Amino acid sequence: YDINQNKLLEKNVYNTYRNSNQIMNNKTRNNSNNKIKNKINTTRPSLHKKSFNTFHYTGFNTTNDKIPKLNYINIVNPTTLTRNVTCDNSRSFKMNVDDELRYSYLVDYIYNYYYDSNVIIYTTDEKKDSATIDYISKLFANAADRTGIPKTVSVFSQKTDFNSGYSKYIIETRTNVIISLAATYPHVLDHLTRLNKYSKDGRIVLFGNESWTSMELDNSYLNNTNFHFIGNKYIDYHDADVKRFVKAFSDKYFSEPNSSQYAYLGYDTFFYYLNMLYYFGYDFPEYVSDVYYEGLESSLYFAPAKKSYGFENYFQNIYEIDDYSYKVSQNTGYFWKSCATDLKSLIMMNSNR
């Protein structure tokens, strides 16, 4: 679809995928593998121009307004965070995991592995973050009702608690889980500096944002506070595939790939969708919940969106700092790996096609 000309350049008839709000009902890895094997054996691999479209985040709303009902066009949204971007299109894909899903996963993780913890939500602006604080508090309340384990959730506001600090919130005899809503570099740095003072006296586990990994922060502070973050994006520069990509990119463009300029995101986006199209054909949306992909930067596992049409990414990991380097925390990412097939393994098994 050409946004400027406001017309469809090439029309292909697609099968409209069912609109479902259920995720992986009674799904097993064996069923997934058999479904994939049967499909690949009957699919003639082929690629066609304009099989799907990608849009930069500044152009997605324009597309949303102009082609909200063309359900035979695949729309890939690689950057937007909000959930209502699938524009009532049953073949749209949102790659970023939104905050509601992140916090829901995080609260479950805390209840599973830090059930006896003291929880503190850190905010730099309680009024601005009120909706997020209320949502997280509600998640903890629901978890308490479900498990029968009550948990007190305190809110530390930088504005009102600036002078007193954490002293009235930290419990030295328990693990103190800090969920930080700080987003800008000055606020994050100030928060880490203050929290580091208590890292020796109280047991601290800090959950922040994945954007912190790109900030110039003192690694000793991150290590002391047991920094964790939840997300589906992280570049492991020690990974063999990442090293090969960096070399190939540098050889071709005479510079190293830049994450902020979408080099890794662009590769992961096209690697995933082109291979899904190649192996499953035009009806590949029917198989996205049978396959997961751990890319150079982005990890993807799609299922029908809960609050709109189309699909959204549910792949999330908890990353933690361990001896000044990051690793995936144990027992995370298990759900999609237990009931879906790794795309890269699928490619290797069918590399002779």
Side-chain angles (χ1 to χ4, degrees), residues 132-259:
T132 301
I133 294 171
D134 290 343
Y135 181 73
I136 297 174
S137 300
K138 184 178 179 180
L139 289 173
F140 275 109
N142 291 340
D145 291 339
R146 186 173 66 250
T147 63
I149 304 174
K151 190 174 292 295
T152 302
V153 179
S154 305
V155 178
F156 178 100
S157 174
Q158 187 191 43
K159 289 184 177 180
T160 58
D161 298 308
F162 183 84
N163 294 323
S164 59
Y166 273 104
S167 56
K168 65 179 181 179
Y169 297 103
I170 295 290
I171 300 177
E172 296 183 11
T173 57
R174 295 167 65 185
T175 299
N176 296 275
V177 173
I178 317 294
I179 302 175
S180 178
L181 305 182
T184 63
Y185 176 74
H187 287 146
V188 172
L189 182 61
D190 178 72
H191 183 207
L192 276 176
T193 303
R194 291 172 175 274
L195 197 57
N196 185 62
K197 298 177 181 179
Y198 297 92
S199 62
K200 296 179 181 179
D201 299 327
R203 293 180 293 176
I204 303 295
V205 179
L206 173 64
F207 289 89
N209 193 279
E210 62 187 309
S211 64
W212 293 16
T213 60
S214 61
M215 298 179 183
E216 294 184 3
L217 301 171
D218 191 325
N219 282 333
S220 64
Y221 286 4
L222 294 170
N223 203 68
N224 292 344
T225 55
N226 295 309
F227 173 61
H228 292 60
F229 69 90
I230 184 171
N232 68 307
K233 289 185 177 181
Y234 177 67
I235 302 173
D236 181 1
Y237 291 99
H238 299 290
D239 180 76
D241 288 339
V242 172
K243 290 180 179 179
R244 282 192 290 268
F245 174 74
V246 171
K247 184 180 186 308
F249 189 99
S250 302
D251 290 344
K252 184 175 180 61
Y253 299 108
F254 305 103
S255 65
E256 292 196 355
N258 190 326
S259 178

Side-chain angles (χ1 to χ4, degrees), residues 22-67:
Q22 301 299 319
I23 301 176
M24 307 292 288
N25 288 331
N26 301 321
K27 197 174 208 321
T28 65
R29 177 185 282 272
N30 289 335
N31 290 339
S32 174
N33 285 341
N34 291 335
K35 180 181 178 183
I36 290 172
K37 185 182 297 184
N38 292 336
K39 176 61 178 176
I40 289 180
N41 288 338
T42 58
T43 298
R44 178 184 177 184
S46 61
L47 292 176
H48 299 273
K49 292 182 179 179
K50 301 188 185 303
S51 296
F52 59 88
N53 294 290
T54 59
F55 296 95
H56 191 271
Y57 68 94
T58 57
F60 195 86
N61 289 334
T62 303
T63 307
N64 182 6
D65 295 336
K66 292 187 176 181
I67 56 170

